[in-house]
Amino acid sequence: MNRVTIVGTTGSGKSTLGERLAARLDAPFVDLDALNWGPGWAPSPVPVFRERAAAALSGERWVVAGNYSELRDIVWGRTGTLVWLDFPLPIVLWRLLRRTIRRVATQEELWGGNRERLLDQFASHDSLFLYALRTHYRRRREYPAALSRPEHAHLRVLRFRFPGEVECWLDNPM
């Protein structure tokens, strides 16, 4: 496992798993959110984002986390193993709530110097909870179709439906 991509609904634990797996594999970890988001939650222009991703994933070994479809040809094309965190929506929402509360309470600085605000998560069209609700079932429909395409036939796909399955796999991730 030299090149691993982790996908899943917002809040499913992609970055956390990515960091843990990268440490275990002694490989660099790439968080696509860090390459995308600038100050004031401004997304990078797509050509710039693609350039950054291509540069970050040019090495022989890495673990990357993120779902950006505009990078799929770059990311999935270079990946050997794709880990899909396909957890039930209640688990995802619980994890997202815990993460949001922690980030708000600690004022954790995220990409581009941004910080999450509690009001944004519950009273805004930019809410990650609304985003998770909008994308969770869509990803369950779209990923199998995308993964069945000939250009993705090289991928070893590991689809985990519960966090315990991930923990068992991490004990021996080969």
Side-chain angles (χ1 to χ4, degrees):
M1 283 196 324
N2 290 325
R3 296 177 176 175
V4 181
T5 295
I6 303 169
V7 299
T9 303
T10 297
S12 60
K14 298 179 300 294
S15 297
T16 301
L17 174 59
E19 290 171 350
R20 289 175 66 195
L21 185 59
R24 259 199 201 173
L25 298 175
D26 193 29
F29 173 64
V30 178
D31 189 334
L32 294 179
D33 283 334
L35 302 180
N36 183 45
W37 296 110
W41 292 107
S44 297
V46 173
V48 172
F49 189 24
R50 289 178 58 81
E51 209 172 279
R52 289 176 182 165
L57 302 178
S58 64
E60 291 300 314
R61 297 174 46 83
W62 40 258
V63 176
V64 62
N67 291 311
Y68 294 90
S69 60
E70 61 266 42
L71 300 179
R72 193 170 289 164
D73 61 317
I74 296 169
V75 178
W76 289 20
R78 297 178 183 180
T79 294
T81 302
L82 184 132
V83 176
W84 177 10
L85 302 180
D86 185 22
F87 301 154
L89 187 59
I91 290 174
V92 171
L93 293 175
W94 172 245
R95 285 178 161 209
L96 186 56
L97 179 64
R98 283 190 343 220
R99 181 186 83 181
T100 299
I101 290 170
R102 176 183 49 80
R103 285 180 174 175
V104 169
T106 63
Q107 285 294 291
E108 179 180 341
E109 185 175 317
L110 302 170
W111 326 278
N114 297 303
R115 288 179 168 75
E116 286 187 17
R117 294 178 349 143
L118 200 56
L119 187 60
D120 291 338
Q121 299 311 322
F122 295 102
S124 166
H125 67 279
D126 293 327
S127 165
L128 290 176
F129 292 91
L130 291 176
Y131 185 73
L133 289 169
R134 284 194 308 263
T135 60
H136 181 75
Y137 295 107
R138 185 177 73 207
R139 290 192 201 292
R140 283 187 163 177
R141 287 188 313 273
E142 291 176 356
Y143 280 169
L147 290 165
S148 70
R149 297 179 58 97
E151 63 267 31
H152 301 133
H154 69 284
L155 292 172
R156 173 182 176 224
V157 178
L158 303 173
R159 184 177 183 179
F160 297 115
R161 297 183 190 257
F162 294 96
E165 295 172 337
V166 175
E167 294 305 317
C168 287
W169 173 72
L170 273 175
D171 288 341
N172 187 12
M174 299 303 148

